[in-house]
Amino acid sequence: MLNFTFRNPTKILFGKNRIEEINKEIPAGSKVLITYGGGSIKSTGTLAKVKKALSGFELSEFGGIEPNPSYETLMKCVEQIKATPVDFILAVGGGSVIDGTKFIAAATLYSGDPWEILTSFGSKIKEALPFATILTLPATGSEMNSGAVITNRALHAKLPFGSPLLYPVFSVLDPEVTYTLPDSQISNGVVDAFVHVTEQYLTYPVDAKVQDRFAEGLLLTLIEDGPKALLDRENYEVRSNLMWSATMALNGLIGSGTPQDWATHMIGHEITALHGVDHARTLAIVLPSLLKVRKLEKKEKLLQYGERIWGITEGSEDERIDLAIKKTGDFFKSMGIGIKLSDYGILAEDIQTIVGQLKDHGMVKLGEKKDITPEVVEQILKLSV
Ligand code: NZQ
Ligand code: ZN
């Protein structure tokens, strides 16, 4: 096992009707800004519940944070806070609203050009406003981690950043809040969480037994309950297991002391920035091909994955690995998610631009061994045509 430091300060309030308790979690007398997305929280009634719970607080709102939140929109919120200061931000939504709120929390108190927050991957953040989240879409893990991904529409750049100052103070995870999700977003969430696990698990063995078995537990749960969520829409136990799996997939626990890959995510971000494909769908396009190209480097873990997740015990090593990769792609397809670039209208001739964007963003040594170069990315994407 590799050396690690693990600290996660986010308090989780999990279960039915926990929104009612948030007034006890925010310092009395705080001026609270509620941030949200395109309005789903109004039609689903979640905003009304939040406002009722916070009836004793001075509230203001900032809506319109779009999926793949844009720098341009978030800076409008920063201006709003500068004009009318607040003490605490409450993000109500999915990963985009939460990520956007992390940027707002840091950019409001940033003294230089806020774009530096992205170009420094967050290392220049010295302070941030306190914030919390009401999660409405289990997928990203943003509700219990300190990272975020922001898009600069003008530059077609989607960049990650993080800071230990950006853990939510608390997050409410009420599985019932997720009943209103359309099928496409349920599927996105399951696939995103699945790939968060594989990015921290399908690397090379370091005998991290606890992390491996936690990771395998999450993968098995997503495979078991993901399809059920599409068939049985208001099954509380299914939604609970998916919600907690997605949070646990990226709250730092399973990745502590293990090598990590993240190449699938970095390639995926460029596909979203250029072609507007949903985050999870870009991962479904990249992961199976990446595993094929990296078969040798990931051999031991792929064999373990094949056996423990898909029950594959027969055939040559090569055959077992091929079958495990095929089953991964088949699982994504069973969730209604296409795994080819062509499923999203992206052509072979678009690959060069995706690779070029990665180079422009300095993403030229990806993967757990830093040897996924632009040439390897090209190979990977060609397998996904
Ligand atoms: O905007 P509204 O109207 O709220 O609608 C949203 C949005 O259209 C809708 N939605 C959310 N909860 C709902 C709901 N509709 C009905 N009922 C509900 N309960 O779902 C749509 C998608 O929301 P979004 O927040 O964009 O999805 P997701 O949670 O998948 O977040 C994706 C973003 O997170 C980033 C991605 O790159 C992407 O920008 N990621 C963040 C990570 C992190 N911070 O650790 C890691 C991830 O790998 C990922 O990169
Ligand atoms: Zn992701």
Side-chain angles (χ1 to χ4, degrees):
M1 198 183 299
L2 309 178
N3 285 5
F4 68 89
T5 302
F6 178 68
R7 176 176 180 267
N8 191 316
T10 301
K11 180 171 178 178
I12 297 295
L13 281 71
F14 188 99
K16 295 181 187 180
N17 303 322
R18 303 303 303 274
I19 292 176
E20 292 169 11
E21 299 170 42
I22 58 177
N23 57 346
K24 294 183 220 134
E25 306 296 333
I26 302 175
S30 298
K31 289 181 187 145
V32 181
L33 172 70
I34 299 170
T35 50
Y36 57 92
S40 74
I41 65 159
K42 290 184 181 164
S43 53
T44 59
T46 303
L47 180 61
K49 283 185 198 158
V50 169
K51 283 185 168 172
K52 190 171 171 217
L54 294 181
S55 56
F57 290 81
E58 191 178 318
L59 302 179
S60 54
E61 293 178 23
F62 182 86
I65 299 176
E66 58 280 80
N68 308 305
S70 77
Y71 180 74
E72 293 85 344
T73 300
L74 302 173
M75 283 309 294
K76 288 185 191 154
C77 184
V78 171
E79 293 312 317
Q80 178 177 319
I81 301 175
K82 284 189 173 160
T84 317
V86 298
D87 307 302
F88 197 94
I89 312 179
L90 184 62
V92 188
S96 294
V97 172
I98 301 174
D99 282 11
T101 300
K102 289 177 179 175
F103 177 79
I104 294 163
T108 303
L109 302 183
Y110 193 76
S111 53
D113 173 2
W115 183 240
E116 289 170 8
I117 292 176
L118 279 309
T119 53
S120 70
F121 300 106
S123 65
K124 289 193 170 176
I125 297 171
K126 299 281 179 282
E127 50 184 341
L129 281 172
F131 69 96
T133 87
I134 311 285
L135 182 66
T136 64
L137 197 178
T140 65
S142 190
E143 66 281 3
M144 200 179 176
N145 70 37
S146 58
V149 195
I150 301 301
T151 298
N152 186 316
R153 299 254 186 269
L155 301 178
H156 292 295
K158 183 172 180 184
L159 300 177
F161 71 99
S163 161
L165 296 163
L166 292 178
Y167 283 97
V169 176
F170 68 87
S171 284
V172 175
L173 275 58
D174 178 346
E176 288 186 329
V177 165
T178 72
Y179 288 167
T180 53
L181 284 168
D183 284 359
S184 60
Q185 296 298 345
I186 295 173
S187 300
N188 281 353
V190 168
V191 170
D192 192 18
F194 192 96
V195 181
H196 293 158
V197 178
T198 63
E199 299 267 44
Q200 300 165 90
Y201 167 77
L202 286 178
T203 57
Y204 55 86
V206 291
D207 201 25
K209 293 194 173 92
V210 176
Q211 294 90 323
D212 275 7
R213 290 185 166 118
F214 269 134
E216 286 153 1
L218 296 174
L219 294 175
L220 290 168
T221 306
L222 292 165
I223 292 166
E224 196 172 306
D225 278 2
K228 284 188 202 162
L230 296 176
L231 294 172
D232 185 4
R233 291 199 49 90
E234 299 204 354
N235 184 322
Y236 183 78
E237 299 310 331
V238 164
R239 294 302 179 116
S240 302
N241 282 304
L242 290 181
M243 201 165 203
W244 191 227
S245 296
T247 301
M248 289 292 289
L250 197 52
N251 67 358
L253 188 68
I254 64 166
S256 293
T258 66
Q260 304 194 11
D261 184 341
W262 298 110
T264 298
H265 268 72
M266 295 311 132
I267 302 167
H269 290 164
E270 303 300 350
I271 299 176
T272 299
L274 288 167
H275 299 280
V277 178
D278 287 356
H279 170 65
R281 288 163 204 258
T282 67
L283 308 177
I285 295 169
V286 178
L287 182 72
S289 301
L290 180 137
L291 296 178
K292 279 182 205 157
V293 171
R294 305 300 285 172
K295 227 154 81 165
L296 208 61
E297 293 80 0
K298 294 180 184 288
K299 182 172 128 187
E300 286 90 350
K301 292 304 285 283
L302 276 168
L303 288 167
Q304 179 179 323
Y305 168 71
E307 181 169 349
R308 294 193 191 173
I309 302 300
W310 299 110
I312 304 167
T313 52
E314 284 174 15
S316 68
E317 288 187 340
D318 224 32
E319 285 165 349
R320 278 148 59 194
I321 289 174
D322 287 347
L323 185 55
I325 297 172
K326 182 178 180 307
K327 283 186 176 284
T328 309
D330 288 348
F331 171 60
F332 296 159
K333 287 195 268 182
S334 79
M335 293 299 297
I337 302 242
I339 63 168
K340 292 289 175 196
L341 287 166
S342 51
D343 293 328
Y344 306 91
I346 304 171
L347 309 170
E349 48 262 45
D350 296 319
I351 290 175
Q352 273 312 326
T353 320
I354 299 169
V355 175
Q357 287 278 96
L358 271 175
K359 282 192 208 163
D360 287 351
H361 299 142
M363 308 275 181
V364 291
K365 288 181 182 174
L366 299 173
E368 65 272 23
K369 291 191 173 147
K370 308 260 170 274
D371 56 357
I372 301 189
T373 58
E375 293 69 37
V376 180
V377 174
E378 190 175 338
Q379 234 181 309
I380 291 168
L381 289 175
K382 280 185 174 160
L383 284 185
S384 297
V385 171

